[in-house]
Amino acid sequence: MTLEDLYRLLRAGHVQAQGIVDTIDRPLVVLDANLCVVNVNPAFLQTFRVNREDTMGECLIELGNGQWNIPRLKHLLEEVIPHSSAVLDYEVSHDFPSLGRRTMLVTARRLIHPDNNSPLMLVVFEDVTERRQTDVSRDLVLSETEHRLKNFLALVGALARQIPAEGEGA
């Protein structure tokens, strides 16, 4: 196998991986050990209304208006590569400049490489704002229904106590 053959294999693998990243519909970024963007998919660019040129090579915590500069999230992400750990569905709520208040679940995993020395991680964002709003609305309706049911049962009980029982004198 020649050096040119190896290059073609490497290039084909890169094109295939990039194709996979680009077709995923959830926003995702690939970060290095310094939390700087190595790759980003179109869903991330669309969701957060940023362009590739302003994103590539920048640190995640400095993107936009520093919207990802969340100390707890930064700490969790910094632990992913050195400890081969993962961040699973870490909830972040933030006022994004062009999106308004959004709630995101953040999942991050170290990219596994055969040499077991990969300094990269994949970070995926899931917007759950509408789901959270639906949950709050549902809880409010259930609470109101429960309250009204208790009032209704109290009224029935009060009416039942006013009706003389059989055998009681009036």
Side-chain angles (χ1 to χ4, degrees):
M1 184 171 279
T2 68
L3 191 57
E4 189 174 310
D5 292 335
L6 289 173
Y7 174 77
R8 270 196 288 270
L9 282 173
L10 180 63
R11 180 78 178 130
H14 174 76
V15 168
Q16 182 181 21
Q18 188 64 48
I20 292 169
V21 166
D22 287 348
T23 59
I24 295 174
D25 61 354
R26 286 193 182 159
L28 67 84
V29 294
V30 177
L31 302 177
D32 65 17
N34 296 320
L35 304 183
C36 292
V37 177
V38 174
N39 201 351
V40 61
N41 75 341
F44 182 91
L45 300 173
Q46 279 183 321
T47 299
F48 298 107
R49 299 181 183 152
V50 294
N51 62 49
R52 183 176 291 278
E53 295 76 32
D54 293 338
T55 305
M56 295 297 291
E58 295 296 320
C59 286
L60 178 70
I61 61 172
E62 295 172 4
L63 290 180
N65 66 344
Q67 57 206 11
W68 297 107
N69 191 4
I70 302 162
R72 178 73 180 135
L73 177 63
K74 181 181 176 198
H75 174 73
L76 290 171
L77 291 176
E78 288 172 338
E79 297 297 310
V80 170
I81 292 175
H83 298 106
S84 296
S85 60
V87 174
L88 302 173
D89 293 336
Y90 182 74
E91 190 168 308
V92 174
S93 291
H94 182 73
D95 288 313
F96 292 90
S98 57
L99 302 175
R101 185 106 183 133
R102 307 305 290 174
T103 301
M104 300 281 172
L105 294 181
V106 180
T107 298
R109 293 184 187 271
R110 179 176 158 198
L111 293 176
I112 303 300
H113 191 271
D115 66 7
N116 202 25
N117 197 21
S118 176
L120 300 175
M121 79 175 92
L122 178 69
V123 184
V124 180
F125 303 88
E126 180 182 2
D127 188 343
V128 293
T129 306
E130 291 175 14
R131 186 184 328 158
R132 293 295 185 257
Q133 290 169 344
T134 300
D135 290 348
V136 167
S137 296
R138 183 191 66 232
D139 290 347
L140 185 62
V141 168
L142 286 174
S143 177
E144 180 64 23
T145 302
E146 184 179 302
H147 175 74
R148 289 180 183 217
L149 183 58
K150 284 180 183 178
N151 285 346
F152 178 72
L153 291 175
L155 177 64
V156 168
L159 288 173
R161 285 188 294 277
Q162 290 179 357
I163 298 173
E166 192 174 310
E168 279 187 6

